Amino acid sequence: MTHEILLAGFGGQGILFAGKLLAYCALFEGKEISWLPSYGPEMRGGKCNCSVCISDEPIGSPQVLEPDLLVVLNGPSFEAFVPNVKPGGKVFADSSMIDAKTDRTDIETFYVPATQLADDNNLAKGANIVLLGKLLHETGIFTFETVRKALEKNTPAKRAHTIDNNMRALQLGADYAG
Amino acid sequence: MTHEILLAGFGGQGILFAGKLLAYCALFEGKEISWLPSYGPEMRGGKCNCSVCISDEPIGSPQVLEPDLLVVLNGPSFEAFVPNVKPGGKVFADSSMIDAKTDRTDIETFYVPATQLADDNNLAKGANIVLLGKLLHETGIFTFETVRKALEKNTPAKRAHTIDNNMRALQLGADYAG
Amino acid sequence: MAKMSVIFDRCKGCELCTTACPKQIVAIQHEKRNKEGVFTAYCTDESKCIGCAMCAMMCPDCAIVIEK
Amino acid sequence: MAKMSVIFDRCKGCELCTTACPKQIVAIQHEKRNKEGVFTAYCTDESKCIGCAMCAMMCPDCAIVIEK
Amino acid sequence: MEKVLMKGNEALAEAAIRAGCKCFFGYPITPQTELSEYLSKQMPKRGGVFLQAESEVAAINMVLGAAGTGTRVMTSSSSPGISLKSEGISYIAGSDVPCLIVNVERGGPGLGSIQPSQQDYWQATKGLGHGDFRLIILAPNSVQEVVNLVVRAFDLGEKYRVPVMLLSDGLLGQMMEPVEFPEIKASQADNSSWAATGTKMQREHHIVNSLYIEANDLEAQVRARYERYAQIEANEAEAETYLCDDAEIVITAFGATSRIAKSAVNKARAEGIKAGLFRPVTLWPFPKAQLLDATKNAKAVLSVEMNMGQMVDDVKLALDCKIPVSFYGRTGGVIPSPNEVLDQIRKLNGGAQ
Amino acid sequence: MEKVLMKGNEALAEAAIRAGCKCFFGYPITPQTELSEYLSKQMPKRGGVFLQAESEVAAINMVLGAAGTGTRVMTSSSSPGISLKSEGISYIAGSDVPCLIVNVERGGPGLGSIQPSQQDYWQATKGLGHGDFRLIILAPNSVQEVVNLVVRAFDLGEKYRVPVMLLSDGLLGQMMEPVEFPEIKASQADNSSWAATGTKMQREHHIVNSLYIEANDLEAQVRARYERYAQIEANEAEAETYLCDDAEIVITAFGATSRIAKSAVNKARAEGIKAGLFRPVTLWPFPKAQLLDATKNAKAVLSVEMNMGQMVDDVKLALDCKIPVSFYGRTGGVIPSPNEVLDQIRKLNGGAQ
Amino acid sequence: MAVVFERPHSLCDVRLHYCAGCTHGIIHRLVAEVIDEMGIEGDTVGVCPVGCSVFAYNYFNCDMIEAPHGRAPAVATGVKRARPDLNVFTYQGDGDLAAIGTAETVHAATRGENIVVIFVNNGTYGMTGGQMAPTTLPGQVTTTTPYGRDPKTAGYPVRVCEMLSTLSGTALAVRTAVDTVPHIRETKKMIRKAFENQQKGNGFSIVEVLSTCPSNWGLTPKESIKRLQEECIPYYPLGVYKDVDINEANAALLNKGGETK
Amino acid sequence: MAVVFERPHSLCDVRLHYCAGCTHGIIHRLVAEVIDEMGIEGDTVGVCPVGCSVFAYNYFNCDMIEAPHGRAPAVATGVKRARPDLNVFTYQGDGDLAAIGTAETVHAATRGENIVVIFVNNGTYGMTGGQMAPTTLPGQVTTTTPYGRDPKTAGYPVRVCEMLSTLSGTALAVRTAVDTVPHIRETKKMIRKAFENQQKGNGFSIVEVLSTCPSNWGLTPKESIKRLQEECIPYYPLGVYKDVDINEANAALLNKGGETK
Ligand SMILES: Cc1ncc(C[n+]2csc(CCOP(=O)(O)OP(=O)(O)O)c2C)c(N)n1
Ligand SMILES: Cc1ncc(C[n+]2csc(CCOP(=O)(O)OP(=O)(O)O)c2C)c(N)n1
Ligand code: SF4
Ligand code: SF4
Ligand code: SF4
Ligand code: SF4
Ligand code: SF4
Ligand code: SF4
Ligand SMILES: [Mg+2]
Ligand SMILES: [Mg+2]
């Protein structure tokens, strides 16, 4: 089993965090993992993406150029990365932020109004997790149980209350039919 | 004709200036010349020496390791450099500053109490030029005329009065019988 | 008669302009995101604007134009 | 009863000590050069020395020793 | 020990603390920042010193001071900051004090970019400052190896009294991988013969110094140091080889690039091309003997780097120019893809047949 | 023109003024001091700028500023000071602005000594700062050639928009020789397409910059620069050969050392040994073709340097490792003597027969 | 109706990359407005720092030069000495100017270098992600002072205007802020004064502007303005620290022409 | 009779290489006397600069480290942080401390780094042959200001104590001279105070000593002392510029413990 996952959007959208959760899930399952961020010089609002490789074999290049799973939170990234998705791959796109649609038919694309869903449910900045929920729902690569463990590992004590919010966001994504 | 001249002493004794006068004399006579100083980090009182090569041929290494003419103004330099003088070479030593004598017989050594002579004649710091006078007298490589031209070239206008003093010092050296 | 207008795609929704307006007629709308995904500032009551440009002075992104 | 003595080979003949002595009994001799070729300082009148060490305080080369 | 997920930069910092590093002096710069940030959190809690200096120049000189007392000390920076440290590094080498210098390379020259690169190979292996001197250069290619080499770096530095550089890059520094921290016995070489720790009025004073005003003295110092360098060359060169035994095409690549090259080698093998990978772990000393051995069946060597070909000369020299060496590289922060490298291998394979 | 006696440092300064250098920024250091001192006297009288900066770091950045306006500008220093300039030099190279940098080398590493050395060969030719870039390196061996190469340096720098280094040393800088100043037509390349001279509201603003945040953009910049480097390698490499035609033993030596080597060659010839001298005038680009030509009858090559053998690799690579290259050097400020070199030649001659 | 307020001409018509609500943008605009109003855009060269404002070369419409981190005053000196006819300004952050660039700043000031320095003090290293800056307040949490800046180990903040005012070459040293419209107006006035100083040959002028960094302060833009007012201004009092005609102020020194050896 | 004045133990019994009459030698002795009297030779590390005093490592009997030009305060910081139990001092010239080392000096001061800095101000670059230093007086002829230092192009002199006094981490900033025995005594007292500050953990102490450079001033040693009195002291007034308990002086700041973000 090898997953090459790319998450992409603006800085500040929680791209790296979402990738980290996936990486931790894989860690709990004893996989080989690499997680590689790439961002511009801006603190917020700049291009930001994250490559996550999960495999049973040692990982060579950690850079995901042709993802089989793409999570994408803004228009420019949608345009830049959808063409590179491997045939048979899956795309999870935040349709609150992205107007475009792809006409590729060799991949599956899920349009989730993630930002809207998050906002509507008082989960501001939760779009990343909403999309993750959808991804897990569609691929089943990790259970929500495992994600909760990853969240626990990656949430400082004084922000522990956010864990439940994030689990809610996950569920929102999973439940979204769209 | 090739002369490899080494002048050596403490900083502040006018070693480099004396070497420069020789170099200028050679320039006036259309020779190939190199002049190379060597000194320690001290402004005054440190080791200081100066290599002057004068030749009809282009000069390779400018460093004089085995001089045929050695002008030496202090004890440590006398000990360091007299052994290196080429057989047949000449040494001009300031005996006011140097107690030692050499027992080399394959070279000619002139002991001139240059500092004393200069002091006695109100030519403080003129020991370098006194020894130069002796050197020119013994070797005849340049005329006093030429040296005067060199002095004129190397004395800033407002110190022009020193030229005559220096000519006097030259003469003192030339006249010293020892 | 004065007019404050926000350049839709330049506004970053930082809200600094909203604090500067002496007439308190600058606010953030929650209807439409611009191409950066931002809910932008707008003038809540054009008739009250005196064109003092305080909002524009405060805007870090030159996203406000004032006409008079 | 005090004694000022100059360490012959350490003295650089700078004359700073000569300016510091309240008794004006420090001077440079012009008889004998040390190994650096320097005419050194000395006490012109040992009997007048009060051992105040002002000369030594002024000497940059620790070339003066005072006994009392 | 439990495996944890860590960025290369953080793992490096943690390994340094475990290796007994007592002082860190640095100045923020992308992409090495996490390293200092990690230490700023941990050092105060674990009995160490973290100090953010006013500049890289100050930082390297603080390293000189701390190293002069015989303390395990490190600094880290990225390319432009390393350039600023070059005078200080030359002094450290000339003063024969050990320390660890980390360069998390980014694109250059000048301000360049903040993306990963290997453009400082020459600077690290040849020109990091004025004068005749060397640094031991270690180039890990995984987060785990970062950890292992940090420990080795401190030990080597003290053994030979030389500064050691760990040459990382934006890719290794920023990526997270699972990592395990081995039990480390923080050894500290005896420095009682030279360190400036106060004479306690019981010995001659120690002088930590690189000035030898007599040329002959300086020459003697330099020659003595080069004898230690000769020992390092004889004993410490290290390389990893992968499928080289029967390889007709050997890729040479170090650090992060070697991972990409490895992926390419695997792809080439899948196509039946006899490709192998030679990865120098020590860039200086360059593992010449190991390369000769790894290329005994090679018809062509391909150096793959994230620069314009800076390692090529060392490869050629190690091979005594006997096997043709070609080059494929990306620069300025662009990471070559395994497929690009594969293409090159294919070309060479065609050419070699 | 009348010949005058001048120190290498002073002649360099005078030549720079005649070549149209309008600004000098420097910081005192032995053994380059006379250069700045000369300019401090002359620049104000001759319409130029002399500014003693607060440090070498400041000086090189002032050079960047002045060069950014398209002005002919130079700086000079000696080894430790050059290390401090390395970040700035990398920026200058990355910003594609021309300038002249003088290194009057002294003994290293660290504070080292103030005697002549050639220990910065590697730094100059390979590692002067982070990132992929090159400087043109010119190495004169007489005061007259210093003068000639200064003029060339400015012209080359502007022609290719690269920084140029004149690599001198304490020997060349301090020695006086008779020198003649040729009539110099101070040419100044057209810089109207890039220099920051004020838009006058008549053009797009010019940006002098080395930052390219997109890795692909930075790579494109670097590759474009390497194309210029390729032209430089093709067109500008220069060497002097002496008695090489029939030489069985060719000495390679640059700068001041080549004079000593020449004396040794003469002595060897007097003994009937077929020795010759190959002297690279440009150290980068290294005159490879010229070396191949000069060694066509050589059985052995001996590199003579005032360092621990830094040019040897370039010589070997130029020869494609086909002729054995041995090395003789002194370091730390010691100047090799012609007799020492002669001994080496004799040994090789014995060995070669 | 006529446009009475819009982007100044010398600020390029592009999106600024700064985070939402970052006051760098205000300061950029003020500099551009002054350049416009003085009509000097065509004869001005700006020098950008390394820091969040590193892309200033894309924003100012005049010719621009990118300096290495901290070296903008030296680069500006090079420009000004080579081309005294040009107006030269630097735009620098607190890490740039008061940490790595301390020597260049102090010496440009003591030389009375005829340049304008716009100094944006936001108490942190914005660009690299919020490390301690020389001007970080005691107790302030940053990514390299995770337990709050403890002056006993991490040092005390540097007060730049106070320090530079001791130097004879400093003509103008003033601290302003951009938290309110009146302060913004004052800041602009001082920037103008600094450029006018340069045109008069009146030496070194520095305008220190207290600015925000919402991203690294971990606050919203509005909260950041509040912190600026409540924590920063009290520590860094606004005001004119020095404002002299340096030639007059140093007349006694300047008359010391000729050789006094 | 007993010896009442001789070379202190912590000054090695070797010839100093300084030029005849150079007051570097006096200052060396004073530092050594203080070290002797405080009995700290065995627990002291000195840091030498690059400058005429570069060989100080041969002169002080305590352990010594040679720093690159200007970087002594950084090297000393490294020593002190690694080994807070040691007494650490630097000995620096004006070129070293106030030109190339400006940033290191200012930041050691602002950090309140617990070290002693002996600053020998002789208004020139002695070692390299008399170039202009940052403290060279206006009008003074040096080898790089051959027509006399013109502040308009070569800048104004830096007054170091005045500048460093503005920094919160500076505990002691004092300027003395070694032109007369009383001044020499005062200098010694201040050096002692600086070392005592360090033992109390009282932060950064600098003793600026006005010194001569007969060789490069082109004067005899006696004339040099006269110039020091007539030209240097008037420009660089002697006195205590700052003398505080930094913990008390900054109590308000230090109490800002914890996170204030
Ligand atoms: C030599 C060097 N060191 C460090 C850096 C990394 N760096 C870039 S910006 C910066 C600090 C920026 O802070 P500041 O000057 O306060 O500007 P701000 O981003 O806060 O506006 C640093 C340390 C660099 N680019 N070059
Ligand atoms: C990086 C570097 N730059 C320059 C020098 C040359 N240099 C040696 S000492 C010195 C100045 C010394 O002046 P100062 O600090 O005033 O000490 P002084 O000799 O006057 O006591 C300089 C510029 C150097 N060694 N290293
Ligand atoms: S111009 Fe004045 S009144 Fe009108 S919206 Fe702006 S701040 Fe309010
Ligand atoms: S200040 Fe400017 S950017 Fe911020 S909300 Fe208002 S208009 Fe938008
Ligand atoms: S002060 Fe010292 S060195 Fe100078 S003359 Fe007196 S004893 Fe000699
Ligand atoms: S000890 Fe006092 S009285 Fe005696 S010689 Fe010295 S200064 Fe004069
Ligand atoms: S990081 Fe801070 S200073 Fe930089 S743009 Fe964002 S808010 Fe502004
Ligand atoms: S050059 Fe000046 S400072 Fe240096 S030792 Fe001589 S007199 Fe003293
Ligand atoms: Mg900042
Ligand atoms: Mg000095």
Side-chain angles (χ1 to χ4, degrees), chain F residues 157-351:
Chain F
E158 285 174 10
K159 179 167 171 198
Y160 295 104
R161 287 182 62 187
V162 295
V164 179
M165 175 176 279
L166 203 134
L167 195 65
S168 176
D169 58 60
L171 202 145
L172 268 181
Q174 295 296 322
M175 78 188 276
M176 285 203 290
E177 287 188 308
V179 62
E180 214 168 13
F181 289 90
E183 199 57 56
I184 297 168
K185 272 217 305 288
S187 60
Q188 161 96 47
D190 177 27
N191 53 42
S192 60
S193 66
W194 59 267
T197 51
T199 64
K200 312 293 167 206
M201 308 304 272
Q202 275 159 12
R203 54 164 172 76
E204 290 284 283
H205 66 161
H206 286 165
I207 299 173
V208 174
N209 173 40
S210 64
L211 172 65
Y212 296 89
I213 204 66
E214 292 292 339
N216 286 315
D217 295 346
L218 179 56
E219 183 178 53
Q221 286 293 330
V222 172
R223 290 197 189 276
R225 203 171 291 123
Y226 270 69
E227 277 168 27
R228 299 209 306 283
Y229 294 166
Q231 284 173 35
I232 296 171
E233 290 194 274
N235 304 330
E236 311 295 351
E238 188 184 320
E240 182 200 336
T241 52
Y242 179 67
L243 306 181
C244 283
D245 274 352
D246 64 340
E248 293 175 356
I249 298 171
V250 171
I251 302 191
T252 56
F254 68 95
T257 311
S258 66
R259 300 172 67 114
I260 292 140
K262 198 176 215 170
S263 295
V265 165
N266 286 335
K267 288 180 188 225
R269 285 275 171 180
E271 296 182 4
I273 304 176
K274 288 191 176 165
L277 171 67
F278 176 82
R279 174 171 77 91
V281 173
T282 53
L283 301 184
W284 192 86
F286 192 84
K288 296 183 196 176
Q290 291 90 327
L291 178 59
L292 279 177
D293 190 49
T295 53
K296 53 187 180 301
N297 292 311
K299 304 206 175 89
V301 171
L302 172 68
S303 191
V304 179
E305 310 174 40
M306 289 200 286
N307 61 45
M308 293 296 282
Q310 299 188 14
M311 191 173 64
V312 170
D313 286 355
D314 283 341
V315 172
K316 283 188 184 167
L317 287 165
L319 296 171
D320 206 23
C321 309
K322 294 218 167 91
I323 305 175
V325 180
S326 54
F327 168 69
Y328 181 74
R330 299 300 302 266
T331 191
V334 182
I335 304 170
S337 74
N339 284 339
E340 290 166 30
V341 178
L342 177 62
D343 275 351
Q344 300 294 319
I345 298 177
R346 286 191 190 125
K347 266 190 225 159
L348 284 174
N349 194 45

Side-chain angles (χ1 to χ4, degrees), chain F residues 136-151:
Chain F
I136 296 179
I137 311 287
L138 304 176
N141 81 343
S142 70
V143 176
Q144 185 65 54
E145 198 180 34
V146 164
V147 168
N148 303 344
L149 288 184
V150 163
V151 183

Side-chain angles (χ1 to χ4, degrees), chain E residues 187-199:
Chain E
S187 59
Q188 160 97 46
D190 177 25
N191 53 41
S192 60
S193 66
W194 59 266
T197 52
T199 64

Side-chain angles (χ1 to χ4, degrees), chain H residues 24 93-95 120-126 133:
Chain H
H24 261 304
D94 43 354
V120 180
N121 180 354
N122 61 8
T124 191
Y125 283 24

Side-chain angles (χ1 to χ4, degrees), chain E residues 83 130 132 219 321 330-331, chain F residues 83 130 132 219 321 330-331:
Chain E
S83 287
H130 58 286
D132 279 315
E219 184 178 51
C321 309
R330 300 298 302 266
T331 191
Chain F
S83 287
H130 58 286
D132 279 315
E219 183 178 53
C321 309
R330 299 300 302 266
T331 191

Side-chain angles (χ1 to χ4, degrees), chain F residues 27 33 37 41 45 52 54, chain H residues 69 131-132 143-144 147:
Chain F
Y27 186 78
T33 316
E37 291 178 351
K41 271 218 189 75
K45 289 198 212 162
Q52 182 177 311
E54 60 272 28
Chain H
H69 189 31
Q131 293 79 18
M132 181 187 81
T143 59
T144 50
Y147 312 112

Side-chain angles (χ1 to χ4, degrees), chain E residues 261-282:
Chain E
K262 198 176 216 170
S263 297
V265 165
N266 286 334
K267 290 182 186 225
R269 286 274 171 180
E271 295 182 5
I273 304 177
K274 289 191 176 166
L277 171 67
F278 176 84
R279 173 172 77 92
V281 173
T282 53

